[in-house]
Amino acid sequence: MKELVFLLLVVTEVTSRTRSSWCERGCDCRGDLKFTICSRALFTQLPGRVAPGTELLDLSDNNISVIPERSFSKTRKLRVLLLQNNNISVVEDGGFSQLEFLQKLDLSWNQISTLTEGFSIGLASLRELLLTHNRLTSLDSLSFVHLDSLQRLNLTSNAIYTIQVRSFSSMSSLRQLHLNGNRLASLRNGIFSMLRSLELLNLAGNHISEMEMFVFKPLVSMTLLNLANNHLSTLSFKTFQSIHTYSTHILLEGNPWNCDCDLQRLFRKLRSIQRLFLDDYYNLTCEEPAVLQDYRLMDVDTELCIAETVTVLVITITVVITVLAAMLMGERKRKKKKRGSTGRSRGSIQMSLTTEAHTSPSLCPFSPSSFARTLGCR
């Protein structure tokens, strides 16, 4: 019995030593070592020892600042890598190049300001990328070039103000794109090209005041478009008419709408399109004109446009009457002038004949009496 107890103690000690060699100090290696938790371990750099079979590695809430090249060459089986809440400002080219099975990468709440082409090398299997609350200011055509399988991209709360054409062109599988809480002022044609699988596009909380006519046309699978809390005062009907999905829900609340009749007619036409659903139409409020500020758009619809229609009708009728009166007066003057001209012509002929009769007395003796009197003969 004592020998059995001694043997168990030896096995336990050996196992403990082996486990300690697998796990970095400050980490917790659980179960069969597929989960390695190193959260809040005060790391300033990536740990040197992680079990090769680890599938989930949690390095959140540390002070890591750099992801060196080929950092995870010994943990190629990783499927989930959590690096949120660190101080990462530099991701060297090929930093994740060994993670061919990685499906989720969380880099939220860091200091990343640029994404080079080398950032995405090796991430061909990645399905979810979180880059919220970083310092990104622009996206170009090389930012996500190797992310062929990506389905969810979250760029919320950065400082992105420009997106180059075809920045997302490699993401034919992307289903969700979150760009809310950035500094976009306009949306240009081509920035969403190739996103034929995109279902959710979140653009809320930007500075968007204008959108080109066909910017949403490539999004043939979009079911939710969130444009709430931007700087839109009006819309172009053709911008939304170009959306050809079977059913798209659109959010527009929190924009400074200019509630004129053109906007009323626009929303009336948009609401008549059966494939588009303006989910928050009844919450839209006016910013301009000043007399309608904070009024709900639906409350000023009928009164505003009826008044404008009546005004336009009165002006139109007045103009028509004025033009007709001017034409009638002109016609009368023309006829009067014509009659006056005819009378003067007849008078001139009579005076001419009378004068000729006086100056040609030889005509009188040979003229009948009535004709002689006409000529002024005695």
Side-chain angles (χ1 to χ4, degrees), residues 7-253:
L7 181 60
L8 288 174
L9 289 174
V10 171
V11 171
T12 302
E13 184 177 356
V14 171
T15 303
S16 177
R17 289 178 181 178
T18 305
R19 286 178 59 88
S20 66
S21 66
W22 290 342
C23 279
E24 188 82 16
R25 184 174 183 179
C27 297
D28 181 11
C29 301
R30 301 181 181 180
D32 58 357
L33 302 184
K34 289 186 177 181
F35 287 70
T36 301
I37 311 301
C38 304
S39 180
R40 297 182 177 87
L42 302 178
F43 289 165
T44 58
Q45 59 185 12
L46 296 174
R49 291 178 298 175
V50 178
T54 299
E55 294 184 4
L56 185 150
L57 176 58
D58 185 355
L59 293 167
S60 62
D61 299 291
N62 283 287
N63 294 311
I64 300 168
S65 59
V66 179
I67 305 295
E69 182 182 2
R70 300 171 63 89
S71 295
F72 301 94
S73 58
K74 297 180 181 179
T75 52
R76 296 191 176 193
K77 293 184 178 181
L78 277 182
R79 295 181 180 274
V80 178
L81 176 56
L82 307 178
L83 287 161
Q84 69 267 29
N85 290 300
N86 278 276
N87 291 314
I88 300 170
S89 59
V90 176
V91 179
E92 294 183 359
D93 288 350
F96 304 112
S97 61
Q98 307 298 308
L99 300 177
E100 56 184 316
F101 300 109
L102 193 68
Q103 295 186 8
K104 178 177 180 178
L105 173 59
D106 192 344
L107 288 163
S108 300
W109 294 96
N110 280 286
Q111 311 295 322
I112 300 171
S113 59
T114 57
L115 296 175
T116 64
E117 180 181 359
F119 164 80
S120 58
I121 292 176
L123 297 177
S125 299
L126 194 67
R127 294 189 177 185
E128 183 174 6
L129 174 59
L130 294 88
L131 284 161
T132 68
H133 297 277
N134 275 276
R135 297 184 177 182
L136 296 171
T137 58
S138 64
L139 303 176
D140 60 41
S141 59
L142 300 178
S143 298
F144 308 109
V145 69
H146 301 290
L147 303 179
D148 300 334
S149 301
L150 199 68
Q151 294 185 6
R152 291 178 293 278
L153 175 58
N154 197 331
L155 295 163
T156 298
S157 298
N158 278 270
I160 300 170
Y161 66 90
T162 179
I163 300 175
Q164 292 185 9
V165 172
R166 300 181 67 83
S167 292
F168 308 109
S169 60
S170 63
M171 301 182 183
S172 58
S173 301
L174 195 67
R175 300 177 64 181
Q176 295 183 15
L177 176 56
H178 297 268
L179 284 162
N180 46 305
N182 281 281
R183 299 178 183 176
L184 295 170
S186 61
L187 300 178
R188 305 298 180 190
N189 291 338
I191 62 174
F192 301 126
S193 61
M194 304 304 292
L195 297 182
R196 300 182 63 84
S197 300
L198 194 70
E199 298 173 358
L200 185 155
L201 177 56
N202 190 349
L203 293 162
N206 277 273
H207 303 158
I208 299 169
S209 60
E210 60 176 332
M211 301 177 290
E212 291 191 352
M213 191 175 300
F214 301 112
V215 66
F216 300 126
K217 188 174 182 179
L219 307 179
V220 296
S221 301
M222 184 170 59
T223 58
L224 177 61
L225 172 60
N226 190 348
L227 286 164
N229 299 303
N230 276 281
H231 292 175
L232 296 168
S233 59
T234 188
L235 297 172
S236 169
F237 175 70
K238 290 185 178 180
T239 300
F240 292 93
Q241 189 184 33
S242 67
I243 300 174
H244 293 294
T245 54
Y246 175 75
S247 173
T248 301
H249 294 261
I250 303 174
L251 301 176
L252 294 165
E253 189 175 357

